[in-house]
Amino acid sequence: MSSNPQKSYIEVIDFHKSFGEKRVHAGVSFYVRKGECLGLIGGSGTGKSVLLRSLVGLEKPDKGQIIIDGEDIVPMNERQLVEVRKKVAYAFQGGALFDSMTVYENLAYPLREHTKMTESEIAAQIRAQLEEFGLDATAEKLYPGSLSGGMQKRVGLARAMMMHPEVVLYDEPTAGLDPYNTKRIQESILKMKAKGVTSILVTHDMPTVYAVCDKVALLIEGRIGEQYTIDKLKTEPSGVMTQFINGESV
Ligand SMILES: Nc1ncnc2c1ncn2[C@@H]1O[C@H](COP(=O)(O)OP(=O)(O)O)[C@@H](O)[C@H]1O
Ligand SMILES: [Mg+2]
C-alpha cells in the first residue's frame, strides 16, 4: 500500500508487535486522511485492539512508526502522550465507564482533569453532549450499572467526545447492541465525521462499516491484507476480504 504523508492525518508504517513468542503484527502499514473513516476488520485475536491502543500510546510497537498529525508518537514519553490523548480519543471496547461514578461524574471527569472549565460550563457541556448522543438529561444521575448495554456504549462515546478530539478510535462500538442502539451509534459516528473528525472503526459489524466508513482494511496474518474503498467493495466484491465478510475460511 502506498503511503501518502502529505494528506494523511494518521499514518502507521511497518508496525511490528509480538507478545513473547507470539508475533501479532508483522509490518502493518496504512494511512487515514483528515476527516476520513477507516474500517478495520479481521478475525478475533489478529491484533486490532492492540493497534488502536498503540495509536494512543497505551502499547509500544517493537518496530515501526505511528505518525499522527505529522508527529511520530512512538518515541514519546508519558507527558507527551497525555497531549496526544487530548487529540485522539479511544472509545474502549465495552465503554469503560467508572462504575462508582454517576453518568454526570463520568462525563465531567475528563473536563475536570484537563480543563479549567467552571462547574456550570461543565454542566452545560454535559447536557449538550447527552443530547447529541440521544440521551435524556435524567440519565445524568444514574450509575453505569443501571443503564442498558446500548446506553452504556453511548455514554462511553459521549465521554470520549468531551475533549472535542480530532481523532476517534472506535473499538467494536456496536458489539452486542440491538438494531435501535446500533443505529444511534452509527448516527453519532456520522455526526462526528460531519464535524471533520478522523476515525478508525474496528468492528465485525459490516452494515455499520458500510454506513459510516470511506474505506475498509483487512488485518490478516499480521499485515493489512487488502484495502478497498466502500464503493469498490460494494460494487465489485472480490478477494480475501469478501471471503472473510461472507464467513468463508481465509
Ligand atoms: N498484554 C498482552 N499480553 C500478551 N498477549 C497479548 C496482550 N495483549 C494482547 N495480546 C495478544 O495479542 C493478540 C491480539 O489481541 P487483540 O489486539 O486484543 O486482538 P483483536 O482485538 O483483533 O481481537 C491476541 O492473541 C492477544 O492474546
Ligand atoms: Mg479487540
Side-chain angles (χ1 to χ4, degrees), residues 95-115:
L97 296 168
F98 300 114
D99 289 333
S100 61
M101 295 183 185
T102 61
V103 166
Y104 184 95
E105 297 292 324
N106 265 285
L107 294 180
Y109 186 81
L111 300 180
R112 288 179 181 153
E113 281 290 287
H114 297 300
T115 75

Side-chain angles (χ1 to χ4, degrees), residues 45 47-50 93 171-172 202:
K48 303 179 298 297
S49 293
V50 169
Q93 207 163 353
D171 201 345
E172 302 198 24
V202 164

Side-chain angles (χ1 to χ4, degrees), residues 92-97 99 103 133 135 142-158 171-182 184-185:
F92 290 84
Q93 207 163 353
L97 296 168
D99 289 333
V103 166
F133 284 82
L135 294 158
L142 303 176
Y143 286 87
S146 65
L147 304 176
S148 68
M151 281 174 81
Q152 283 181 8
K153 291 246 185 197
R154 278 146 67 192
V155 174
L157 285 190
D171 201 345
E172 302 198 24
T174 59
L177 296 187
D178 59 30
Y180 175 85
N181 279 291
T182 298
R184 301 288 85 75
I185 297 275

Side-chain angles (χ1 to χ4, degrees), residues 106-167:
N106 265 285
L107 294 180
Y109 186 81
L111 300 180
R112 288 179 181 153
E113 281 290 287
H114 297 300
T115 75
K116 295 192 164 51
M117 287 169 72
T118 65
E119 202 52 41
S120 63
E121 287 167 338
I122 290 175
Q125 189 177 324
I126 289 174
R127 195 61 52 97
Q129 206 77 339
L130 286 175
E131 200 180 307
E132 179 122 8
F133 284 82
L135 294 158
D136 208 86
T138 54
E140 281 180 4
K141 294 188 185 64
L142 303 176
Y143 286 87
S146 65
L147 304 176
S148 68
M151 281 174 81
Q152 283 181 8
K153 291 246 185 197
R154 278 146 67 192
V155 174
L157 285 190
R159 191 180 61 181
M161 299 313 156
M162 291 305 277
M163 295 296 292
H164 301 301
E166 289 170 34
V167 177

